[in-house]
């Protein structure tokens, strides 16, 4: 096995903290992964990993070596790409995960155009509102909406997602129409609980550059945009939702925007991928395709 292959195996073991998971994502026997790391340690003469029955973690030397491996792999792949990109089309399987309604309403309907443009790429499209483990689940990239934590992933901005306040005509006929945040005390909200943390998000609005929040009363809590919209259509309360999510409902009159001067801050949309050595031509062309797609779909 050549050194670059050894480096790649070692990097994957560090990223997923497991010989077994590394073997699964690399499509090779666990014994081969273990032997590759042992060979690498023998070649350089230091212990790279702490091994326990539950977890694998890099030693101090292993952490330093991991960072060097990332740079070496990136340099090799970028050098190959200089000569390959002009001669061959991107190919292989692209594994992507996107938020539920962005996937169903925007990406899936447009995907035929991407596949026609890149006939040698196959797409595995995960559509979910949960937070996925990009490295552990062997994904090439993910689209995320909202503020990002310090994940160590590489981020590419894809624009912002405006939020609006909406209710059904039946709800407004029964409870009246709120004109400002001061009116919210006499209204119901459909609570949205984060699928990852279970935390119920407060009602938000901007006053100039200042974010204001309010914990509104509500009798229904949901954990998906689909359920939030369905409950709103049923007249169960007010919701804050991306404008593109309810565009057709607003056009048909089944939902109505309220308090347009008191919207929450727009949410950032971001494409995330692990490290630059993983930025294959497949990910590059997908990023170049999805950015204008999302910006156009959100704006119209």
């Amino acid at each position: 096995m050549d050194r670059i292959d050894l480096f790649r195996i070692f990097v994957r073991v560090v990223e997923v903290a497991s010989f077994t998971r590394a073997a699964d994502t690399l499509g090779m026997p666990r014994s081969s992964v273990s032997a590759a790391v042992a060979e690498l340690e023998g070649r350089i003469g230091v212990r790279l990993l702490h091994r326990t029955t539950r977890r694998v973690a890099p030693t101090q030397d292993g952490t330093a070596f991991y960072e060097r491996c990332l740079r070496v792999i990136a340099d090799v792949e970028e050098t190959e790409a200089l000569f390959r990109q002009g001669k061959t089309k991107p190919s292989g399987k692209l594994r992507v995960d996107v938020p539920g309604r962005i996937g169903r309403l925007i990406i899936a309907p447009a995907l035929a155009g991407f596949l026609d443009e890149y006939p040698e790429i196959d797409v595995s499209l995960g559509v979910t509102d949960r937070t996925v483990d990009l490295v552990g689940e062997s994904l090439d990239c993910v689209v995320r909406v909202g503020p990002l934590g310090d994940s160590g992933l590489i981020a590419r901005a894809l624009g912002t997602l405006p939020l609006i306040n909406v209710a059904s005509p039946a709800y407004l006929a029964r409870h009246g129409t709120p004109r400002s945040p001061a009116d919210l005390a006499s209204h119901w909200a459909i609570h949205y609980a984060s699928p990852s943390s279970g935390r119920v998000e407060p009602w938000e609005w901007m006053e100039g550059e200042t974010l204001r929040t309010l914990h509104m009363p509500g009798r229904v809590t949901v954990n998906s945009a689909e359920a939030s919209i369905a409950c709103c259509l049923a007249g169960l309360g007010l919701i804050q939702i991306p404008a593109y999510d309810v565009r057709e409902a607003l056009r048909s009159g089944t939902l109505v925007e309220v308090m347009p001067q008191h919207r929450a801050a727009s949410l950032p949309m971001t494409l995330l991928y692990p490290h630059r050595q993983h930025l294959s031509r497949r990910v590059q062309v997908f990023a170049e395709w999805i950015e204008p797609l999302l910006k156009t779909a959100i704006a119209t």
Side-chain angles (χ1 to χ4, degrees):
M1 191 175 295
D2 70 33
R3 291 181 184 179
I4 295 298
D5 288 334
L6 294 177
F7 289 176
R8 288 192 174 104
I9 292 170
F10 170 69
V11 163
R12 181 53 58 89
V13 171
V14 172
E15 289 175 340
V16 301
S18 164
F19 284 99
T20 300
R21 292 176 69 189
D24 289 343
T25 60
L26 292 169
M28 58 193 305
R30 184 190 185 284
S31 58
S32 298
V33 171
S34 180
V37 173
E39 180 181 345
L40 194 56
E41 289 178 323
R43 284 190 177 194
I44 63 177
V46 299
R47 188 175 182 83
L48 297 172
L49 298 172
H50 293 298
R51 301 160 172 84
T52 70
T53 56
R54 294 186 177 182
R55 186 173 177 81
V56 175
T59 62
Q60 184 174 351
D61 288 332
T63 299
F65 190 70
Y66 168 77
E67 297 297 333
R68 294 297 296 268
C69 283
L70 291 180
R71 292 196 291 271
V72 170
I73 294 170
D75 288 342
V76 169
E77 294 192 348
E78 287 173 6
T79 301
E80 291 176 345
L82 289 174
F83 298 92
R84 190 173 58 237
Q85 289 179 12
K87 300 177 182 178
T88 63
K89 294 182 178 181
S91 61
K93 177 161 283 190
L94 178 69
R95 296 174 175 84
V96 185
D97 191 88
V98 300
R101 289 182 67 81
I102 286 179
R104 286 188 287 275
L105 297 179
I106 300 176
I107 296 177
L111 197 56
F114 177 81
L115 296 176
D116 286 344
E117 186 173 356
Y118 301 103
E120 296 180 31
I121 294 180
D122 296 329
V123 177
S124 175
L125 182 65
V127 178
T128 176
D129 290 324
R130 70 180 178 87
T131 300
V132 298
D133 178 357
L134 190 152
V135 173
E137 297 182 38
S138 196
L139 296 167
D140 293 298
C141 58
V142 299
V143 174
R144 288 188 181 159
V145 173
L148 299 175
D150 184 13
S151 64
L153 300 172
I154 307 301
R156 173 170 174 160
L158 298 175
T160 59
L161 197 58
L163 297 174
I164 61 174
N165 314 306
V166 298
S168 70
Y171 174 88
L172 298 176
R174 183 175 181 182
H175 298 278
T177 301
R179 305 295 178 185
S180 73
D183 299 332
L184 293 176
S186 60
H187 284 271
W188 299 98
I190 296 165
H191 290 155
Y192 178 81
S194 166
S196 302
S197 67
R199 176 178 176 270
V200 173
E201 303 294 339
W203 193 270
E204 297 183 352
W205 70 96
M206 298 299 296
E207 287 186 5
E209 298 298 317
T210 304
L211 174 66
R212 303 294 186 188
T213 62
L214 175 69
H215 289 278
M216 286 183 61
R219 300 181 64 192
V220 178
T221 301
V222 299
N223 65 355
S224 74
E226 298 280 4
S228 177
I229 295 168
C231 289
C232 190
L233 288 166
L236 301 180
L238 305 168
I239 61 171
Q240 295 186 307
I241 196 79
Y244 83 90
D245 264 336
V246 291
R247 186 176 296 139
E248 293 305 318
L250 292 173
R251 287 172 180 165
S252 67
T254 54
L255 290 179
V256 178
E257 182 178 6
V258 298
M259 298 189 299
Q261 304 305 315
H262 301 280
R263 293 180 174 182
S266 296
L267 296 173
M269 297 182 293
T270 312
L271 183 72
L272 298 176
Y273 48 91
H275 295 282
R276 67 190 182 108
Q277 89 277 8
H278 292 295
L279 189 59
S280 66
R281 281 282 292 151
R282 295 187 300 276
V283 177
Q284 290 179 36
V285 297
F286 182 75
E288 291 163 3
W289 173 79
I290 196 175
E291 182 175 354
L293 172 70
L294 290 179
K295 288 181 177 179
T296 300
I298 298 305
T300 56

